Amino acid sequence: MTTDRLSAVLEHIDNDLPAAIERLKDLLRIKSISTDPAFAGDCDSAADWLVKDLQSIGFETSKRDTPGHPMVVGHAGDSGRHLLFYGHYDVQPVDPLNLWDNDPFDPQVEDTPKGKVIRGRGTADDKGQLMTFVEACRAWKAVHGTLPTRLTMFFEGEEESGSPSLIPFLKENSEELDADIALICDTGLFDDETPAITTMLRGLLGEEIVIKGPDMDLHSGMYGGPAINPIRVLARVIAALHDDTGRVTVPGFYDGVPELSDELRAQWEALGFDAEGFLADVGLSEPAGEAGRSVLEMIWARPTCEVNGITGGYTGDGFKTVLPSEARAKISFRLVGSQDPHKIRESFREMVRALLPGDCTVEFHGHGSSPASVMATSDPAFEIARQALSLEWPRPAAFVGGGGSIPIAGYFKSILGLDSMLIGFGRDDDLIHSPNEKYSMDSFHRGMRSWARILDALSAD
Amino acid sequence: MTTDRLSAVLEHIDNDLPAAIERLKDLLRIKSISTDPAFAGDCDSAADWLVKDLQSIGFETSKRDTPGHPMVVGHAGDSGRHLLFYGHYDVQPVDPLNLWDNDPFDPQVEDTPKGKVIRGRGTADDKGQLMTFVEACRAWKAVHGTLPTRLTMFFEGEEESGSPSLIPFLKENSEELDADIALICDTGLFDDETPAITTMLRGLLGEEIVIKGPDMDLHSGMYGGPAINPIRVLARVIAALHDDTGRVTVPGFYDGVPELSDELRAQWEALGFDAEGFLADVGLSEPAGEAGRSVLEMIWARPTCEVNGITGGYTGDGFKTVLPSEARAKISFRLVGSQDPHKIRESFREMVRALLPGDCTVEFHGHGSSPASVMATSDPAFEIARQALSLEWPRPAAFVGGGGSIPIAGYFKSILGLDSMLIGFGRDDDLIHSPNEKYSMDSFHRGMRSWARILDALSAD
């Protein structure tokens, strides 16, 4: 259902596309690489550019200093559902520069077999994506002289360098940033024809364990037999972490892991995900996770325990008959639902300790821990947005999961108490963080139109 | 029982000790580091020194060229039991030089709390040890004008650099080197008061395995769950290599593993080995090997399977949520009795293959393989030598095992068909291969006397 007020905005977007591309190019030319201090001035320029642009479409906008790169916050409207839109203006470094076909900061629109793309650093991650929303607002303002609902824009410049200023900034400005729901545009389409709203993101818990046996490395001729070998002990620990059906054996691990609703299961089945092709792309032929779960479910909705690294003893060329003094592994857990990372960390450590023979000790080094993000899709905004998106794209939109973490969604929830709708138009072949990054013109154009539809639907409700 | 002919030789050894020390110092001053080409001339000089010295005591001796450093072969006597004596004149490098208290090639006799020692590179490994035999022959010759039995001296100069010329030389000269039994003086006392004849040496089999899963490293957010993780598979393989009693589970592994004879078991028990102290020295408190076996038995008479190194995924600082494409381990087996390394290698590989899930492959890289050396102690020479040794030292000599390999013993057996008596007087604190290497004067003196007794007993039989 396309209202008249929306039709006019969509038409404006279509007609204004060439100018929107020029504005995006302007922003892309700013070398806002956040991780390299040499580009601090460029980050500042990108923030200034956004302040000015938002002001030009009626947002009361300011650049806000932090100990790192500045934030940009803009407000417009004072009634209706309050939406907080998040994006980031900083980009990844560009090296190795010699692998780029063109200057990464001189963006150009190109024809490709899969349609037009704009190529350059930051096109997909995240300047192109964030501008889809800004342009939707611009078009609405141009056509109707005002914005359809209450809006807060929130852009950071440190997403690619660990967001050191983010948590303090959210805490200090929680009242100003409070809203009804957040929109985050740092995600992708399900496939070229199918848009997606990511409603669940797995959490992550990291543990490094160091198992120690003898005080020093020993010679296996001298001590092989009576001396405990920490690599063998570590292997037993790792082997004990899963049962034969692929389930994680850490006690209490599955507390808080929900089963999929019938509705979500039906939506995911309807996506027609090519699990075979997904695995074949990386040389695999069969899903290795929990028995009886689909590949999509394994990635989006099931927790895991993985070993990300292991080392011990002699690992160089040739052979050394050493019995090492210690062995180490980096182990991580992907979490879903309401799994409690702290409880799991403790339970894991207890389990490991219980598996150690008398002469071994273990050291634990905790790495990051974040719970899963599970959005309250019972909020009608989710279904409204899903239907609006479905009207713009060839195939209906789905609520999907995300296998990895998007920390900002967790912070919005824990600090601001906000659920997020993660809606983005990136594609698997966008080469984000790599040379020759690009953003599809179809994503840019339909992305703007998608946001116009969502603004229309969420403000009409 | 000390015969008159022996008493005179022992007395000569005692009186001639100062001169014997000077001769040893002469040999020690030659920098015969075999592994460094800069010292090739010194290796040659050491060989020349030995040729001249052996000639001076009646051995028909020659230096024999090889593609590497020369061999020295000398013959004396033409009747009686034919003994082949082996030693090596090359030494380890001396770096780090700054950790030596004195010039490693300017040997000095020092007083220590445990008695006099001679300190310098090669004192214990192996120049001091080989000279104990040469000096025993010199004394016999001086007293009796002849040697008591048929003797062949065989010295190499590449023991510390992998003995590349040894096998071809043994093969080409097998007739000349053929004897009744070999004597090898590259081993140690059981303890300061107890001499030992090593009659069994464990063999060694090395395998490197590389388990491969996905074609490339994957992100655990994207693929964690459905993608197989080679580290987990490798851990399962390693964990499966032993059962809960510490026995190796490779099919057929224990074929050819003999139980100890009651006699040997009694001898070993009589040694009063301090298993607790042996483990405590390296920070351990309980034997980790096969249940129900003593520590000495574990080291000398039981086979093992050990992991000497393992690596996979991200092993640097911090954390990376990678699912690695491959994981590798270096695994070795210590072998005893008549275990067949080739059969075990094949059985191990078959077992590993059977443990792999569908999407994993494995590469094997075979490293060294040598069977155990088990001497035919039924040859009366062994018991004769044991009794002779027992007369010289405070405590009776024992037939012992050796946890590591001494390749020369294997080659004598496989190429010349010779059993070896491994008799040496080294001590645990000799610092061989390390700075401040030393040899006990007690070992040097009693070592010469021990050989005189053994020569007497073996030639009187």
Side-chain angles (χ1 to χ4, degrees):
Chain A
M1 184 192 65
T2 308
T3 60
D4 287 348
R5 67 170 194 165
L6 174 60
S7 297
V9 174
L10 295 178
E11 197 185 326
H12 188 276
I13 285 173
D14 295 347
N15 293 334
D16 198 40
L17 181 61
I21 292 173
E22 288 313 309
R23 284 186 289 268
L24 173 58
K25 284 184 177 176
D26 257 8
L27 178 58
L28 289 167
R29 283 189 199 101
I30 305 173
K31 302 175 181 178
S32 48
I33 300 170
S34 59
T35 198
D36 185 341
F39 296 92
D42 301 87
C43 290
D44 209 55
S45 299
D48 287 337
W49 190 95
L50 285 165
V51 169
K52 207 171 146 200
D53 195 51
L54 290 180
Q55 283 171 343
S56 77
I57 54 176
F59 281 80
E60 199 175 296
T61 311
S62 55
K63 184 171 77 170
R64 311 283 280 272
D65 286 339
T66 74
H69 304 304
M71 308 286 182
V72 172
V73 180
H75 300 284
D78 50 12
S79 65
R81 196 182 248 113
H82 185 181
L83 308 177
L84 173 71
F85 180 85
Y86 165 88
H88 64 90
Y89 63 77
D90 63 320
V91 300
Q92 281 274 319
V94 295
D95 33 71
L97 196 57
N98 62 316
L99 296 185
W100 287 82
D101 295 332
N102 287 302
D103 181 345
F105 293 109
D106 181 18
Q108 302 294 339
V109 175
E110 288 174 22
D111 283 307
T112 77
K114 293 176 79 177
K116 279 191 196 307
V117 304
I118 181 163
R119 201 175 294 279
R121 176 54 88 225
T123 47
D125 183 19
D126 182 44
K127 289 171 175 172
Q129 300 243 64
L130 80 81
M131 286 305 286
T132 57
F133 192 81
V134 173
E135 294 295 345
C137 292
R138 189 188 325 274
W140 201 287
K141 173 85 175 172
V143 171
H144 299 295
T146 180
L147 287 158
T149 194
R150 192 171 161 201
L151 286 168
T152 296
M153 296 286 203
F154 174 46
F155 300 137
E156 72 161 321
E158 301 181 336
E159 201 271 349
E160 303 294 2
S161 53
S163 299
S165 310
L166 184 64
I167 293 176
F169 190 83
L170 290 178
K171 286 184 174 165
E172 281 160 30
N173 300 278
S174 59
E175 243 175 89
E176 183 184 353
L177 296 171
D178 189 28
D180 294 316
I181 199 157
L183 304 173
I184 298 175
C185 74
D186 209 4
T187 56
L189 300 167
F190 174 75
D191 62 28
D192 288 356
E193 304 198 321
T194 315
I197 303 177
T198 303
T199 62
M200 44 212 286
L201 290 165
R202 292 197 289 189
L204 184 64
L205 169 64
E207 280 279 287
E208 183 162 8
I209 71 176
V210 188
I211 291 181
K212 302 189 177 206
D215 287 344
M216 64 214 73
D217 286 358
L218 303 175
H219 187 278
S220 82
M222 187 73 170
Y223 280 92
I228 192 88
N229 182 328
I231 300 178
R232 274 174 53 195
V233 175
L234 180 58
R236 292 212 154 201
V237 166
I238 293 170
L241 289 171
H242 293 82
D243 69 15
D244 289 342
T245 68
R247 277 172 73 89
V248 177
T249 55
V250 174
F253 185 73
Y254 288 93
D255 292 353
V257 176
E259 286 299 323
L260 281 190
S261 68
D262 292 344
E263 203 184 332
L264 208 50
R265 189 179 298 277
Q267 266 190 30
W268 289 4
E269 276 168 16
L271 287 171
F273 177 64
D274 176 15
E276 218 167 289
F278 174 78
L279 291 174
D281 280 349
V282 296
L284 300 176
S285 67
E286 53 193 33
E290 289 173 90
R293 306 282 176 181
S294 73
V295 168
L296 270 196
E297 199 180 355
M298 286 178 189
I299 300 171
W300 289 350
R302 299 300 300 176
T304 66
C305 165
E306 291 295 351
V307 189
N308 306 114
I310 189 167
T311 184
Y314 180 71
T315 58
D317 285 344
F319 222 89
K320 237 175 121 172
T321 49
V322 65
L323 289 185
S325 167
E326 63 174 48
R328 25 180 92 223
K330 295 180 204 277
I331 293 173
S332 64
F333 301 86
R334 296 276 170 187
L335 307 178
V336 303
S338 59
Q339 279 182 297
D340 180 337
H342 303 293
K343 275 195 191 157
I344 290 172
R345 198 194 288 282
E346 284 319 307
S347 180
F348 166 73
R349 290 182 176 188
E350 209 168 298
M351 174 178 170
V352 172
R353 285 190 202 102
L355 286 168
L356 294 189
D359 272 339
C360 281
T361 58
V362 60
E363 260 179 26
F364 296 97
H365 302 278
H367 288 264
S369 91
S370 58
S373 296
V374 184
M375 307 309 163
T377 51
S378 54
D379 181 333
F382 280 83
E383 185 55 27
I384 292 168
R386 195 179 74 78
Q387 289 183 14
L389 270 174
S390 298
L391 292 173
E392 178 60 33
W393 294 80
R395 301 190 58 209
F399 292 149
V400 305
S405 304
I406 299 187
I408 183 72
Y411 301 140
F412 280 173
K413 184 76 184 182
S414 62
I415 301 172
L416 304 181
L418 273 185
D419 283 295
S420 298
M421 289 203 284
L422 294 121
I423 299 173
F425 311 100
R427 300 180 186 217
D428 288 347
D429 61 357
D430 278 347
L431 297 169
I432 65 168
H433 296 206
S434 297
N436 297 322
E437 178 180 350
K438 62 90 178 159
Y439 194 50
S440 152
M441 272 294 123
D442 187 47
S443 286
F444 188 57
H445 187 188
R446 281 194 212 256
M448 295 187 275
R449 290 173 53 99
S450 295
W451 286 122
R453 289 181 185 276
I454 289 169
L455 285 173
D456 178 56
L458 287 180
S459 61
D461 155 45
Chain B
M1 185 191 62
T2 308
T3 59
D4 287 346
R5 68 170 191 162
L6 173 59
S7 298
V9 174
L10 295 178
E11 198 184 326
H12 189 276
I13 285 173
D14 295 346
N15 294 334
D16 197 40
L17 181 60
I21 292 173
E22 290 312 310
R23 285 187 288 270
L24 174 57
K25 284 183 177 177
D26 258 9
L27 178 57
L28 289 168
R29 283 189 199 101
I30 305 173
K31 303 175 181 179
S32 47
I33 300 169
S34 59
T35 196
D36 184 341
F39 296 92
D42 300 86
C43 290
D44 207 56
S45 299
D48 287 337
W49 190 96
L50 285 166
V51 168
K52 207 170 145 199
D53 195 52
L54 290 180
Q55 283 170 343
S56 78
I57 53 176
F59 281 82
E60 200 174 293
T61 311
S62 54
K63 185 172 76 170
R64 312 282 279 271
D65 286 339
T66 74
H69 305 303
M71 307 285 182
V72 173
V73 180
H75 301 284
D78 51 12
S79 64
R81 196 183 248 113
H82 185 180
L83 308 176
L84 173 71
F85 180 84
Y86 165 88
H88 64 90
Y89 63 78
D90 62 320
V91 300
Q92 281 275 319
V94 294
D95 34 70
L97 195 56
N98 62 316
L99 295 185
W100 287 82
D101 295 332
N102 287 301
D103 181 344
F105 293 110
D106 181 18
Q108 301 295 340
V109 175
E110 289 173 21
D111 283 309
T112 77
K114 293 175 83 178
K116 281 192 195 303
V117 305
I118 182 163
R119 202 175 293 281
R121 175 54 87 226
T123 48
D125 183 17
D126 182 44
K127 288 171 176 173
Q129 299 243 65
L130 80 81
M131 286 305 287
T132 58
F133 192 81
V134 173
E135 293 296 344
C137 292
R138 189 188 324 275
W140 202 287
K141 173 86 176 172
V143 172
H144 299 295
T146 180
L147 287 158
T149 196
R150 192 171 162 203
L151 287 167
T152 296
M153 296 286 202
F154 174 46
F155 300 136
E156 72 161 321
E158 300 181 335
E159 202 271 349
E160 304 293 3
S161 52
S163 298
S165 309
L166 185 65
I167 293 176
F169 189 85
L170 290 178
K171 286 186 175 165
E172 279 160 30
N173 300 278
S174 60
E175 244 175 87
E176 182 184 354
L177 296 170
D178 190 27
D180 294 317
I181 199 158
L183 304 172
I184 299 175
C185 74
D186 208 3
T187 55
L189 301 167
F190 173 74
D191 63 28
D192 289 355
E193 305 198 321
T194 316
I197 303 177
T198 304
T199 62
M200 45 211 283
L201 291 165
R202 292 196 289 189
L204 185 64
L205 169 64
E207 280 279 289
E208 182 161 7
I209 71 175
V210 188
I211 291 181
K212 303 189 176 206
D215 287 344
M216 64 214 75
D217 286 358
L218 303 176
H219 187 278
S220 80
M222 186 74 170
Y223 280 92
I228 192 88
N229 182 329
I231 300 178
R232 275 174 53 194
V233 175
L234 179 59
R236 293 214 153 201
V237 166
I238 292 170
L241 287 169
H242 293 82
D243 69 16
D244 289 341
T245 69
R247 277 173 72 89
V248 177
T249 55
V250 174
F253 184 72
Y254 288 93
D255 292 354
V257 176
E259 286 299 322
L260 281 191
S261 69
D262 292 344
E263 204 184 330
L264 207 52
R265 188 179 298 277
Q267 266 191 29
W268 289 4
E269 276 169 14
L271 288 170
F273 177 65
D274 176 15
E276 217 168 290
F278 174 79
L279 291 175
D281 280 350
V282 295
L284 300 177
S285 68
E286 53 192 33
E290 288 173 273
R293 306 282 177 181
S294 74
V295 169
L296 270 194
E297 198 180 355
M298 285 178 190
I299 299 171
W300 288 349
R302 300 299 301 176
T304 67
C305 165
E306 291 294 352
V307 188
N308 305 114
I310 190 167
T311 184
Y314 180 71
T315 59
D317 286 343
F319 223 90
K320 237 175 120 173
T321 49
V322 64
L323 289 185
S325 167
E326 63 174 49
R328 25 180 92 223
K330 295 180 203 278
I331 293 173
S332 64
F333 300 87
R334 296 275 170 187
L335 307 178
V336 303
S338 59
Q339 280 181 296
D340 181 337
H342 302 292
K343 275 195 191 157
I344 290 173
R345 199 193 289 282
E346 284 318 309
S347 179
F348 166 74
R349 291 181 175 188
E350 208 169 297
M351 175 178 169
V352 172
R353 284 189 203 104
L355 286 168
L356 294 189
D359 272 337
C360 281
T361 58
V362 60
E363 259 179 27
F364 296 98
H365 301 278
H367 288 265
S369 94
S370 58
S373 297
V374 184
M375 307 308 162
T377 51
S378 54
D379 181 333
F382 280 84
E383 185 54 26
I384 292 168
R386 194 179 75 79
Q387 290 183 15
L389 270 175
S390 299
L391 292 172
E392 178 59 32
W393 294 80
R395 301 190 59 208
F399 293 150
V400 304
S405 305
I406 298 186
I408 183 73
Y411 301 140
F412 280 172
K413 184 75 184 181
S414 61
I415 301 170
L416 304 180
L418 272 185
D419 282 296
S420 298
M421 289 203 284
L422 294 120
I423 299 173
F425 311 99
R427 299 179 188 219
D428 288 345
D429 60 357
D430 279 347
L431 297 170
I432 65 168
H433 294 205
S434 297
N436 298 320
E437 178 179 350
K438 62 89 177 159
Y439 194 49
S440 152
M441 271 295 122
D442 187 48
S443 286
F444 188 57
H445 188 186
R446 282 193 210 257
M448 295 188 276
R449 291 172 54 97
S450 295
W451 286 122
R453 290 180 185 277
I454 290 169
L455 285 173
D456 177 57
L458 287 180
S459 61
D461 153 45

